[in-house]
Amino acid sequence: MNKIEKIQRWLADNNQDIALITDPKTIQYLTGFYSDPVERVLMMVVFKDKDPFIFGPALESEAIKDTGWTNPVYGYLDHEDPWAMIADQVHARNTDETHFAIEKSQLAVDRLESLESVFSDGDFSANLTPLIEKMRLIKSADEIEKLKIAGKWDDFALQKGFEAVALGKTEDQIAADLQYALMQSGIMELSFPSLVQAGAHAAEPHGATSENQVQNNQLVLFDLGTVWQGYISDASRTVAVGKPDEKSMDIYNVCLEAQLTAQAAAKPGITAEELDKIARDVITKAGYGEYFIHRLGHGMGMSEHEFPSIMEGNKMELQPGMCFSIEPGIYIPNVAGVRIEDCVHITENGSEPFTHTTKELRYVDL
């Protein structure tokens, strides 16, 4: 049973007629075609007992067909009403279908209202998101191979980033150097904007790379990822410039112990919350528990943040083929921030990382 047939089976089993798929990443997962339509409408319509079709901007129609998609493709021009055109195609197939499953985690309210306006008798209460999450949860051998290649390019990018570190250089300049090296090697897409944070700036876990300059005797945090054939990498490392103070070094060593301990414990049968607790206990025992302010990890694959979350309260047992990050962090405002991360896939008896850059503290030569 292929991916679309699984959705059709779910529709039949749940008394639903049609799945309206609007997340570009889900469409890519199902078809191989990816495009961010921005303000335009891109939708895949899957019937429980008929061939699906893709509807989108006319300027994307040929690109959709070029992926090998052999079912109908319908395009619309900017001045046309896409919602009415979608309804026309649905009604042309069967006017009695009124139960629609939608991706509730992705479909915007205004777009749902537009669908309700053209399907006045439609019931949109069914949520397709959990099914898609479960389908994407266990990666195939082919998917894992693509993730491994993305990981190799992440290791390359980290090395280029380390080489770019210099006193007085800004975080932005370092990020630009490593991204240029990737582009020169043919890697044109990143998982997310590269994050480089020096010194106390690294205590902001989601702070953006800035014009903050690298100073002597501090830590520099890198968090970055690449994309290979639609699949992403994501890794974090922290390096030392000069001789950071004792507090910063202690933070690093504790974070490293937490990451290594959790990664060694990742295997089938352990729950997500148990794995989170393993890392968190190391950090709490060292006295930094209040500074570990996020979950241990997140699922990854075609997106940098996927189902499931590796965190307290998630009792899901890990299974072979699951892919997720293990990224404990310690962030002390006005002092320092450290995060160390590998993404891994669960094997039959343990786990394997997608990135292999050493996690022992590296001292950058200046």
Side-chain angles (χ1 to χ4, degrees):
M1 185 183 302
N2 64 32
K3 297 171 184 175
I4 293 175
E5 288 171 341
K6 287 181 181 179
I7 294 175
Q8 292 175 319
R9 171 69 63 83
W10 182 91
L11 289 170
D13 290 345
N14 289 274
N15 299 314
Q16 298 298 308
D17 300 313
I18 301 172
L20 302 177
I21 298 169
T22 50
D23 185 342
K25 283 293 183 180
T26 304
I27 293 174
Q28 182 184 23
Y29 174 71
L30 295 171
T31 70
F33 171 75
Y34 177 77
S35 175
D36 181 352
V38 194
E39 78 281 3
R40 295 185 173 97
V41 175
L42 176 66
M43 180 181 293
M44 183 176 181
V45 181
V46 179
F47 300 83
K48 67 179 178 183
D49 54 3
K50 301 177 183 65
D51 290 336
F53 68 82
I54 296 178
F55 181 90
L59 53 82
E60 301 277 20
S61 295
E62 292 306 312
I64 295 170
K65 295 174 185 177
D66 286 345
T67 64
W69 176 258
T70 57
N71 289 306
V73 177
Y74 303 107
Y76 78 99
L77 302 175
D78 287 339
H79 68 277
E80 295 179 307
D81 181 351
W83 309 105
M85 295 173 71
I86 291 169
D88 287 344
Q89 292 299 333
V90 170
H91 291 148
R93 286 159 172 80
N94 189 330
T95 57
D96 296 330
E97 294 174 316
T98 58
H99 290 83
F100 299 90
I102 59 174
E103 295 177 282
K104 290 188 176 181
S105 65
Q106 193 276 339
L107 187 63
V109 172
D110 65 332
R111 298 198 166 200
L112 175 58
E113 291 174 345
S114 294
L115 286 167
E116 290 172 335
S117 72
V118 295
F119 296 109
S120 56
D121 296 327
D123 179 347
F124 296 90
S125 60
N127 186 12
L128 191 67
T129 296
L131 172 67
I132 300 299
E133 288 179 337
K134 289 178 182 178
M135 288 176 62
R136 292 174 62 174
L137 177 63
I138 305 299
K139 272 61 176 182
S140 67
D142 178 66
E143 289 178 299
I144 288 175
E145 184 60 32
K146 291 174 181 176
L147 290 166
K148 287 180 178 179
I149 295 173
K152 290 179 180 179
W153 284 111
D154 208 334
D155 285 328
F156 171 85
L158 285 167
Q159 179 62 35
K160 294 300 180 180
F162 301 161
E163 293 172 1
V165 174
L167 292 179
K169 203 167 185 177
T170 69
E171 298 165 352
D172 285 335
Q173 290 171 330
I174 296 169
D177 284 347
L178 70 88
Q179 288 167 189
Y180 181 58
L182 282 168
M183 293 172 68
Q184 286 184 308
S185 299
I187 303 300
M188 308 302 290
E189 187 178 357
L190 301 175
S191 312
F192 50 88
S194 298
L195 184 63
V196 181
Q197 294 173 296
H201 187 210
E204 302 174 26
H206 274 183
T209 297
S210 71
E211 294 184 358
N212 179 45
Q213 294 180 329
V214 173
Q215 305 296 326
N216 203 12
N217 303 324
Q218 63 180 196
L219 299 175
V220 181
L221 187 154
F222 290 81
D223 189 351
L224 51 95
T226 62
V227 180
W228 179 262
Q229 295 185 4
Y231 286 80
I232 69 102
S233 60
D234 183 4
S236 300
R237 295 292 188 271
T238 302
V239 300
V241 177
K243 295 181 179 180
D245 60 40
E246 185 176 338
K247 186 73 169 179
S248 295
M249 295 299 295
D250 189 52
I251 293 169
Y252 185 90
N253 290 329
V254 171
C255 191
L256 177 61
E257 180 185 356
Q259 204 283 333
L260 292 174
T261 303
Q263 190 163 315
K267 61 182 180 180
I270 191 172
T271 67
E273 70 173 0
E274 288 171 341
L275 191 60
D276 178 277
K277 187 175 186 300
I278 286 171
R280 202 167 298 277
D281 283 351
V282 172
I283 292 174
T284 299
K285 183 178 179 181
Y288 298 117
E290 65 182 294
Y291 302 112
F292 182 10
I293 54 178
H294 54 71
R295 61 193 172 185
L296 177 64
H298 54 78
M300 51 83 71
M302 298 186 80
S303 303
E304 65 270 19
H305 284 187
E306 292 188 359
F307 177 78
S309 289
I310 309 301
M311 66 179 186
E312 181 180 356
N314 185 359
K315 301 183 184 302
M316 175 182 287
E317 289 189 1
L318 304 185
Q319 303 173 48
M322 286 185 179
C323 302
F324 54 87
S325 67
I326 299 177
E327 50 179 312
I330 301 172
Y331 314 96
I332 303 180
N334 302 314
V335 177
V338 173
R339 182 168 59 259
I340 304 171
E341 170 192 16
D342 277 325
C343 287
V344 305
H345 65 99
I346 297 298
T347 63
E348 292 299 325
N349 53 17
S351 69
E352 293 182 5
F354 294 113
T355 41
H356 299 277
T357 299
T358 182
K359 288 176 277 197
E360 293 299 324
L361 185 60
R362 172 172 177 157
Y363 291 83
V364 177
D365 295 329
L366 299 176

